[in-house]
């Protein structure tokens, strides 16, 4: 039985988390939400009320008490004993997470944690640098993307369903800015690994993307409890 590492990278709003969860469920693999890790560090920094500094966010990352629990169909995130699943998805956190995740000390702490979690295989991990930095040896690497317009539309719908008032044009601007920050940061910039499968989900359904990735995993010899 072979349990492989599946790395799904791509820009904000491409559907990485949604797809990764479904692929993990189909294979019986563990899903690791790396974006939630950086968002939780960001939440800790914002709650501190202190001015941003690299030393501050690195300290938060080094002492992060983070855990995941899959309950009632939701991958829940806990900071200590507090559930922060919704709190880390706030617009305030979204506006600050790129700056926090670009700090070298934060990335070193999170990469070390991600490697410990996924070392044994049988995981689906999504983020910005999973296939290029965290697990360059991953058996299957996917670079999942979509147009800025489509990613903004999806995010707008998601926030509206949660009762939040949002402006589509503002979301487009923020997503484009986030792309620029992620692609140009000095440490672990967002890029497609040379051996990754490039997958544009702009005109594809969630089911179509999921089935394509599962088929690719099977070709890599993946064996899962739900296959």
């Amino acid at each position: 039985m072979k349990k492989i590492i599946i790395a799904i990278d791509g820009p904000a709003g491409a559907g990485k988390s949604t797809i990764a969860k479904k692929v993990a469920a189909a294979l019986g693999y563990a899903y690791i939400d790396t974006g939630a890790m950086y968002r939780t560090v960001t939440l800790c920094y914002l709650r501190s009320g202190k001015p941003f500094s690299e030393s501050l966010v690195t300290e938060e990352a080094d002492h992060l008490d983070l855990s995941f629990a899959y309950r009632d169909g939701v991958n829940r995130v806990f900071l200590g004993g507090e559930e922060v699943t919704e709190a880390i998805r706030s617009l305030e956190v979204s506006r600050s997470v790129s700056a926090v995740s670009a700090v070298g000390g934060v990335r070193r702490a999170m990469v070390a944690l991600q490697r410990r979690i996924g070392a044994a295989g049988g995981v689906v991990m999504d983020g910005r640098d999973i296939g290029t930095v965290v697990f360059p040896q991953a058996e299957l690497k996917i670079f999942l993307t979509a147009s800025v317009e489509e990613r903004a539309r999806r995010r707008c719908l998601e926030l509206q369903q949660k009762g939040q008032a949002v402006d589509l044009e503002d979301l487009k601007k923020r997503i484009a800015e986030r792309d620029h920050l992620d692609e140009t940061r000095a440490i672990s910039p967002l890029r497609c690994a040379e051996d990754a499968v490039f997958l544009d989900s702009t005109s594809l359904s969630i089911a179509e993307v999921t089935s394509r990735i599962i088929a690719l995993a099977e070709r890599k010899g993946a064996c899962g409890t739900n296959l």
Side-chain angles (χ1 to χ4, degrees):
M1 296 291 286
K2 182 180 180 182
K3 285 187 173 289
I4 68 173
I5 296 171
I6 301 176
I8 303 179
D9 290 313
K16 300 185 301 297
S17 295
T18 299
I19 298 300
K21 290 173 190 173
K22 290 186 175 294
V23 170
L27 296 172
Y29 279 18
Y31 164 63
I32 309 301
D33 185 352
T34 63
M37 295 179 177
Y38 290 101
R39 284 177 171 273
T40 306
V41 175
T42 304
L43 180 66
C44 290
Y45 144 64
L46 292 171
R47 285 181 171 182
S48 75
K50 299 177 182 178
F52 177 86
S53 71
E54 292 194 0
S55 60
L56 171 62
V57 294
T58 297
E59 183 178 356
E60 296 288 3
D62 285 338
H63 297 92
L64 191 68
D65 183 8
L66 175 72
S67 61
F68 295 97
Y70 188 77
R71 297 176 186 169
D72 303 320
V74 177
N75 195 58
R76 302 183 186 276
V77 185
F78 293 86
L79 178 60
E82 175 195 1
E83 183 177 354
V84 294
T85 309
E86 291 297 327
I88 64 172
R89 300 294 171 183
S90 70
L91 285 174
E92 185 181 17
V93 170
S94 295
R95 292 185 184 115
S96 302
V97 67
S98 282
V100 172
S101 61
V103 174
V106 173
R107 299 206 73 82
R108 282 191 292 273
M110 295 301 98
V111 167
L113 179 57
Q114 291 156 17
R115 285 174 174 162
R116 286 198 298 273
I117 293 172
V123 298
V124 181
M125 196 173 288
D126 69 284
R128 300 290 189 280
D129 61 352
I130 309 305
T132 55
V133 175
V134 182
F135 285 113
Q137 78 277 22
E139 290 88 347
L140 176 59
K141 302 175 188 176
I142 304 293
F143 190 88
L144 182 64
T145 190
S147 68
V148 170
E149 291 75 16
E150 176 62 16
R151 287 185 279 142
R153 186 194 69 79
R154 293 172 184 173
R155 180 62 172 159
C156 185
L157 180 61
E158 177 187 346
L159 292 172
Q160 287 175 342
Q161 290 174 340
K162 293 178 180 179
Q164 298 184 38
V166 290
D167 179 81
L168 182 58
E169 292 305 315
D170 182 60
L171 277 177
K172 288 181 184 178
K173 179 182 177 182
R174 291 187 182 281
I175 287 175
E177 290 173 346
R178 176 77 185 274
D179 287 351
H180 178 72
L181 286 171
D182 288 343
E183 292 166 0
T184 60
R185 67 191 181 203
I187 301 172
S188 303
L190 170 66
R191 64 180 179 84
C192 180
E194 292 183 1
D195 54 347
V197 176
F198 186 89
L199 188 52
D200 189 328
S201 69
T202 301
S203 59
L204 297 174
S205 68
I206 291 172
E208 288 173 326
V209 176
T210 302
S211 64
R212 289 190 186 189
I213 295 176
I214 291 172
L216 289 167
E218 290 175 336
R219 290 176 199 164
K220 292 291 184 178
C223 291
T225 58
N226 294 337
L227 285 178

